[in-house]
Amino acid sequence: MIPAVAPVQDSATTFPPLGKNIKALLVWPKIPSSYWAFSGMMELLPEKVVMPPLGLITLAALCPAEWNMRLVDEALEDLTDDDIRWADLVMVGGMEVQKGGMHDVLVRARRLGSRTIVGGPYASSEPQRMLALSDHVVVGEPDEVFGGIAAALEAGTAKRLYEITDKPDVTLTPIPRFDLLKLGSYASMSIQFSRGCPFQCEFCDIIILYGRKPRTKLPKQVTAELDALLSLGWMKQVFMVDDNFIGNHARALELCVELEHWQKAHGTPVMFYTEASMDLAKKTALMDAMVRANFFYVFLGIESPSKESLKETKKFQNLAMDPVSCVDLIHEHGLWVTGGFIVGFDSDTDDIFERQIEFIERTAIPWAILNCLHAIPGTALHDRMQKEGRLLAESPSSGDTIPCNFRTKLAPAALLRGQVQTLKAIYEPKAFYERAWRSLESWKTRKNQRAARQPGALGIAGIVMRSIWHQGIKSDYRNEYWKYLFRMLTHYAFNPAKIWMAATIMISGHHFIPYSRQVVAGIERQIERVETLQELVPATAGD
């Protein structure tokens, strides 16, 4: 837990100059276990983690060419004291969920006498907390001004706090330093096309961090980044990390047309996936262009089947069409769908959990990520909860087992029990694999869609043997596994796109089924604590 903010040096305090040839260590703290980590699935694959820290390698590209850069991704390797001692400057980034890891890195660096600078989403949301730990804090997007910050670090005139309010022109952002990555350790690569989102969802910090006017790179920038990856030998999945890829749907369409040409010119070396808003279903030409560019699947922020909850949180884009029809249309146009769901809205009633389960089953979404609503600092939701006096005292980071950090209209124990009920229902092995099968049947692939490059015969054999051992022999869901495997082989053996996606979903069961049980156990411990507190309150009040 990050300590309370302590007195810090005045913003005018100067530091010794670091000189021109700075040794800079980029550190990405490990992200705690989550549904998105796919940790169980990674046990079966030759790679170690899903994706790299794109923000840090983009920052590395903004640094002067004379700087000597190293990257430590704590998901892959431990950060050693020798790593820190080597560096003149330790550069740390991260999200709220990584705040514990950021704290640990910064404390160690300070103890070992290394200068530190921190930025990214969490530092931008909680700069005063970071000022207690780091020599320099950068709030906002540094693309256009980092050259000046770097010069000040070299000269010894760097400020303690940089607050950047202007949104940079991303057409000037350089190609990330993909060369700093241990590419073979990642299952997919990340690139960014746009920042910002045009919508106004109350709980979302994206519009706070990056604005409501989407800013996009030029198509030639994106293909230049792909060229850079291709030159390094990357020919697997690429995640378009935009929080809403279709925020500017006209520009997204232009990009997809260019990506189609790039794929044809290079023999379709990569496949894409991304995140989008549900109004994608209304944009037929864009969906078709995405599929022609070899997008395979898309994550949708569905959140809730409750129209009242969607109106409450100002997620109006999800109200324009029937949500079940949206998923069906996207499947029909060649994109496989995964989605995020939230409970804990003021408008949620006791039946919300049954409604979530019913919706997930009707739409056949295997990877359905369910969390409690969390009021992130800086968001409209956080401001409202603060004004209403409903924010709870210092709360943990948002996470899969973490309850809402404000007083909810539903009783806390009932909300947590409902979350347990939902997770047990959707990740019961038979339900998971049946839903997976129906999703594949709904997903209408196109002839041009080509799966990510496979690891070779020996690599595939290793994955198959590990899957059979862990899932087909050792697991308690082996009967459902074998049933699904048989159907997959008999139906899709000659459909490369379908067999790849089907196999991916099959081995993902080694993550979603056991991990959901861990989450359920964690939530049940939260329920025990909530009920204990509820029992103590009347006794205390009567004293």
Side-chain angles (χ1 to χ4, degrees):
M1 188 68 69
I2 295 176
V5 175
V8 297
Q9 294 169 286
D10 184 82
S11 60
T13 301
T14 59
F15 292 86
L18 294 176
K20 290 289 185 183
N21 299 307
I22 292 176
K23 291 181 288 187
L25 180 68
L26 301 156
V27 182
W28 183 246
K30 188 173 182 179
I31 297 175
S33 295
S34 74
Y35 279 108
W36 291 118
F38 285 87
S39 52
M41 183 175 176
M42 299 311 298
E43 292 176 4
L44 308 181
L45 298 177
E47 299 89 359
K48 294 183 179 180
V49 293
V50 177
M51 66 186 69
L54 179 62
L56 280 185
I57 60 173
T58 301
L59 177 65
L62 298 170
C63 293
E66 299 80 14
W67 287 18
N68 185 358
M69 312 293 297
R70 289 187 188 175
L71 171 68
V72 172
D73 181 348
E74 290 195 304
L76 300 179
E77 57 189 316
D78 292 332
L79 174 68
T80 68
D81 287 353
D82 285 342
D83 290 327
I84 297 172
R85 290 191 186 99
W86 168 86
D88 300 313
L89 181 68
V90 177
M91 310 176 77
V92 184
M95 302 170 287
E96 184 192 19
V97 73
Q98 294 167 282
K99 66 182 182 181
M102 295 170 72
H103 167 266
D104 293 344
V105 172
L106 293 167
V107 166
R108 284 178 66 191
R110 178 165 286 178
R111 175 172 55 81
L112 294 169
S114 293
R115 286 272 289 285
T116 54
I117 184 168
V118 63
Y122 184 66
S124 295
S125 298
E126 298 276 11
Q128 293 304 314
R129 291 192 179 279
M130 290 292 96
L131 278 168
L133 300 167
S134 182
D135 297 319
H136 309 282
V137 176
V138 179
V139 174
E141 300 173 70
D143 304 49
E144 293 184 346
V145 301
F146 194 77
I149 297 174
L153 288 164
E154 292 175 345
T157 58
K159 296 187 295 184
R160 291 271 289 131
L161 176 65
Y162 290 90
E163 294 183 281
I164 305 159
T165 56
D166 292 339
K167 304 303 180 188
D169 180 356
V170 294
T171 65
L172 304 175
T173 300
I175 296 173
R177 288 285 307 274
F178 297 115
D179 59 295
L180 294 174
L181 301 172
K182 296 179 178 177
L183 288 175
S185 296
Y186 298 100
S188 66
M189 200 46 52
S190 303
I191 62 175
Q192 185 181 58
F193 169 58
S194 68
R195 297 181 199 168
C197 178
F199 301 118
Q200 53 183 327
C201 306
E202 185 186 38
F203 59 84
C204 184
D205 64 341
I206 298 305
I207 54 178
I208 307 302
L209 294 170
Y210 304 117
R212 288 188 56 198
K213 183 179 180 180
R215 291 159 289 133
T216 65
K217 293 179 180 177
L218 301 172
K220 66 180 181 181
Q221 283 179 276
V222 177
T223 55
E225 292 183 19
L226 292 170
D227 287 336
L229 283 170
L230 202 57
S231 71
L232 294 169
W234 186 266
M235 296 178 69
K236 294 190 287 186
Q237 295 186 78
V238 173
F239 177 34
M240 202 76 71
V241 303
D242 306 23
D243 296 288
N244 186 0
F245 177 67
I246 67 166
N248 185 325
H249 58 87
R251 293 287 180 85
L253 180 58
E254 290 176 12
L255 174 65
C256 288
V257 171
E258 187 63 30
L259 290 177
E260 180 187 1
H261 297 324
W262 184 88
Q263 294 274 36
K264 288 179 178 178
H266 295 86
T268 316
V270 300
M271 57 156 283
F272 298 107
Y273 63 105
T274 193
E275 304 179 31
S277 47
M278 284 190 73
D279 57 326
L280 173 63
K282 297 166 60 179
K283 307 184 189 307
T284 302
L286 179 53
M287 285 190 288
D288 292 342
M290 289 174 68
V291 169
R292 289 195 300 270
N294 208 36
F295 278 81
F296 259 54
Y297 54 102
V298 61
F299 171 86
L300 303 178
I302 298 169
E303 320 312 0
S304 179
S306 166
K307 291 183 178 180
E308 293 76 17
S309 296
L310 294 173
K311 289 176 185 176
E312 169 199 321
T313 199
K314 296 182 173 61
K315 205 171 183 77
F316 302 118
Q317 66 273 23
N318 283 24
L319 294 166
M321 291 178 63
D322 171 63
V324 175
S325 299
C326 284
V327 176
D328 289 344
L329 275 170
I330 295 170
H331 276 153
E332 183 70 29
H333 281 272
L335 294 168
W336 188 78
V337 173
T338 180
F341 300 85
I342 296 174
V343 290
F345 294 108
D346 287 353
S347 300
D348 283 350
T349 53
D350 290 336
D351 68 345
I352 188 61
F353 310 105
E354 288 292 345
R355 293 173 68 185
Q356 291 278 25
I357 294 167
E358 180 187 6
F359 181 88
I360 291 165
E361 288 297 329
R362 283 184 66 194
T363 52
I365 297 177
W367 300 345
I369 313 303
L370 179 76
N371 290 117
C372 282
L373 185 62
H374 194 80
I376 302 171
T379 62
L381 176 64
H382 189 275
D383 291 346
R384 179 165 69 88
M385 293 297 106
Q386 197 165 45
K387 288 175 183 176
E388 295 177 8
R390 294 168 60 187
L391 278 179
L392 300 177
E394 177 70 17
S395 62
S397 302
S398 57
D400 296 326
T401 64
I402 305 300
C404 301
N405 63 340
F406 58 91
R407 291 197 302 276
T408 56
K409 295 296 178 73
L410 281 176
L415 181 57
L416 293 171
R417 283 198 196 92
Q419 193 178 4
V420 165
Q421 170 195 348
T422 306
L423 291 173
K424 283 183 174 180
I426 63 177
Y427 287 116
E428 187 276 325
K430 182 176 181 179
F432 173 76
Y433 279 115
E434 284 294 331
R435 198 165 65 248
W437 183 255
R438 286 186 287 110
S439 78
L440 290 165
E441 292 286 89
S442 300
W443 177 41
K444 307 304 181 186
T445 56
R446 302 297 189 266
K447 289 183 178 179
N448 73 283
Q449 286 178 293
R450 291 179 56 178
R453 187 183 67 171
Q454 303 308 300
L458 287 177
I460 292 174
I463 295 170
V464 170
M465 294 306 295
R466 287 189 291 272
S467 174
I468 289 174
W469 173 247
H470 288 286
Q471 298 184 275
I473 297 175
K474 291 180 65 178
S475 79
D476 60 3
Y477 60 87
R478 52 187 171 271
N479 289 340
E480 298 304 325
Y481 168 87
W482 285 110
K483 178 182 176 182
Y484 176 90
L485 176 59
F486 177 77
R487 293 170 82 180
M488 177 183 82
L489 294 176
T490 54
H491 284 73
Y492 299 137
F494 300 104
N495 184 331
K498 282 277 182 88
I499 196 74
W500 183 89
M501 196 73 230
T504 299
I505 300 169
M506 181 182 73
I507 63 175
S508 76
H510 190 53
H511 170 64
F512 283 100
I513 294 170
Y515 181 70
S516 66
R517 292 170 179 171
Q518 295 175 32
V519 172
V520 164
I523 296 172
E524 287 175 337
R525 289 192 292 271
Q526 297 281 357
I527 294 171
E528 291 176 10
R529 283 194 283 271
V530 168
E531 291 178 331
T532 300
L533 286 172
Q534 288 177 334
E535 290 172 2
L536 291 174
V537 168
T540 303
D543 289 342

